[in-house]
Amino acid sequence: MAIQNPYREIVLSDTDIMVELENIYEKKWQWTEHFWNTHPIVLEIGTGMGNYFSKQVWENPEMNYVWIELRYKRLYYSAEKCRKTKNEWENKNFIMLKDFGQNIDKIFCENEISETYVFFPDPWGKKNTQKKHRLLQADFLANLYSITKVWGKLFYKTDHREYFETTLKVIEGQWLWKISKMTQNYEDDEIFDTKNITEFEAMYRWDKIEINYVELVK
Ligand SMILES: C[S@@+](CC[C@H](N)C(=O)[O-])C[C@H]1O[C@@H](n2cnc3c(N)ncnc32)[C@H](O)[C@@H]1O
């Protein structure tokens, strides 16, 4: 008998997490109504356990956060962390979606997103057959560009040098995104706050693994 993921049922009854794709894609023209405001939308793909982003939700009540993640357990813990930062009567400025980040064009319309964060996406190994599963590929980057507002940004970090360099080549070839900041060892730079990092970044830093970082602007 197949073992059922214990977090599945919990997530299905969680009103801060959307699972049904039909319902998610219906939101495409409805985000203003969903949040009851016209605040800028921040998108985060591959949320993980949500330490970093739950803090953002709390610190920036004038922004709306949409998170896309695949795994039930991670969705559940991230939503829990966000709820802890909110009073019950406060308007919720976040929603989590269980979907593939590759589907952003079905979820948002053009010029809708102000900022996107992709931190430590799964690198999908060394074999070419696996690399087709990578998130940061030509179609995704073009779709993300289209749903991003003019002057909107994409923030991308990875420990995987080859994935990083491959992504940069695609970006250069597309002539869409402009690089506004980049480093392959931002330990030396003053552009980040080590007290405010994701779970995977904490792990890589602990292991003294260099982190590749780029900010792209539309
Ligand atoms: C390496 S973890 C990084 C998590 C988090 N961003 C961090 O820095 O700690 C990658 C996350 O992306 C999720 N993920 C993998 N492929 C995805 C996809 N195509 N769309 C959305 N999320 C994805 C995984 O479930 C996992 O939680």
Side-chain angles (χ1 to χ4, degrees), residues 44-50 53 68-71 74 97 99-102 118-124 133-135 197-202 204:
E44 206 270 323
I45 302 175
T47 314
M49 296 297 268
F53 289 97
I68 303 180
E69 168 59 56
L70 289 174
R71 292 165 75 166
R74 293 182 179 185
L97 313 178
D99 196 4
F100 286 87
Q102 282 86 342
V118 182
F119 286 172
F120 307 97
D122 290 344
W124 286 101
H133 298 295
R134 285 182 172 174
L135 178 67
I197 55 179
T198 67
E199 290 78 3
F200 274 77
E201 183 162 350
Y204 295 131

